[in-house]
């Protein structure tokens, strides 16, 4: 009797384990495609900006400000981190210098984007500001990796 229960339990574990490992049940979801990431990011950005433009209902006088804002915040080619192999050839202080330079470039890009947002935001009326506040920067539910990230 014990052998029968043990065999049944083993079979159950095997079947359940196989079911969870099947593609389409979460194993391949969120698989990162590095080659197409930039393209996907730009496509998502453009869809979101189109939606935001519709929601804001800009006047004809605000359209120039919108176009300037879009030109300033459009994602650029992602600045690459220094290659790990390259960093491994350097001593600690040289690595720190490389990483600090990279951080400064990223911070400068972020400051430029923040300035563009502030300039555009100043052109909006109160109702548009409220709509911008609610829709300009989508809130992400869940953790950065694996949680729901985009509206479908």
């Amino acid at each position: 009797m014990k052998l029968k229960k043990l065999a049944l339990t083993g079979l159950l574990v095997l079947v359940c384990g196989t079911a969870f490992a099947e593609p389409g049940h979460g194993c391949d979801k969120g698989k990162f495609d590095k080659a197409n990431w930039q393209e996907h990011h730009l496509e998502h950005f453009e869809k979101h900006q189109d939606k935001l433009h519709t929601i804001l209902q800009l006047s004809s006088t605000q359209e120039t400000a919108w176009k300037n804002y879009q030109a300033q915040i459009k994602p650029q080619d992602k600045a690459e981190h220094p290659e790990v192999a390259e960093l491994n050839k350097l001593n600690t202080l040289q690595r720190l210098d490389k990483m600090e330079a990279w951080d400064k470039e990223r911070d400068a890009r972020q400051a430029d984007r923040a300035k563009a947002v502030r300039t555009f935001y100043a052109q909006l009326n109160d109702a548009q500001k409220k709509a911008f506040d609610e829709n300009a920067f989508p809130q992400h539910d869940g953790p950065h990796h694996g949680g729901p990230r985009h509206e479908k």
Side-chain angles (χ1 to χ4, degrees):
M1 187 70 173
K2 278 186 173 180
L3 188 57
K4 213 175 191 182
K5 282 185 179 179
L6 186 59
L8 186 58
T9 302
L11 183 61
L12 185 61
V13 168
L14 182 63
V15 169
C16 289
T18 305
F20 284 112
E22 286 181 31
H25 288 284
C27 294
D28 286 341
K29 287 184 181 176
K31 191 172 184 181
F32 184 71
D33 182 6
K34 188 175 182 179
N36 296 323
W37 180 87
Q38 193 77 28
E39 201 174 291
H40 171 75
H41 180 66
L42 184 58
E43 180 183 319
H44 177 72
F45 171 82
E46 290 171 352
K47 284 180 184 176
H48 178 73
Q49 293 306 306
D50 288 344
K51 180 179 175 184
L52 181 61
H53 185 263
T54 301
I55 290 169
L56 290 176
Q57 299 177 357
L58 299 172
S59 68
S60 58
T61 58
Q62 293 171 317
E63 284 297 328
T64 300
W66 172 260
K67 288 177 184 169
N68 290 337
Y69 168 66
Q70 290 301 297
Q72 293 171 329
I73 67 159
K74 185 173 184 176
Q76 312 232 331
D77 287 340
K78 186 175 180 178
E80 295 293 326
H81 281 280
E83 290 292 326
V84 174
E86 178 188 332
L87 289 176
N88 287 339
K89 295 176 186 175
L90 306 175
N91 69 37
T92 299
L93 296 180
Q94 291 169 327
R95 276 187 228 144
L96 286 172
D97 290 342
K98 283 269 191 197
M99 296 309 293
E100 286 175 346
W102 187 84
D103 287 343
K104 285 179 184 176
E105 289 173 23
R106 184 195 62 229
D107 291 346
R109 287 190 309 271
Q110 182 59 31
D112 290 344
R113 287 177 61 89
K115 183 179 177 185
V117 170
R118 292 179 202 290
T119 301
F120 177 68
Y121 194 82
Q123 303 298 314
L124 302 176
N125 64 38
D126 290 340
Q128 290 169 324
K129 286 179 182 179
K130 184 177 186 317
F132 189 90
D133 293 344
E134 293 170 355
N135 297 284
F137 301 102
Q139 300 298 310
H140 299 296
D141 297 327
H144 181 68
H145 296 287
R149 296 193 59 190
H150 307 295
E151 288 181 26
K152 296 279 179 180

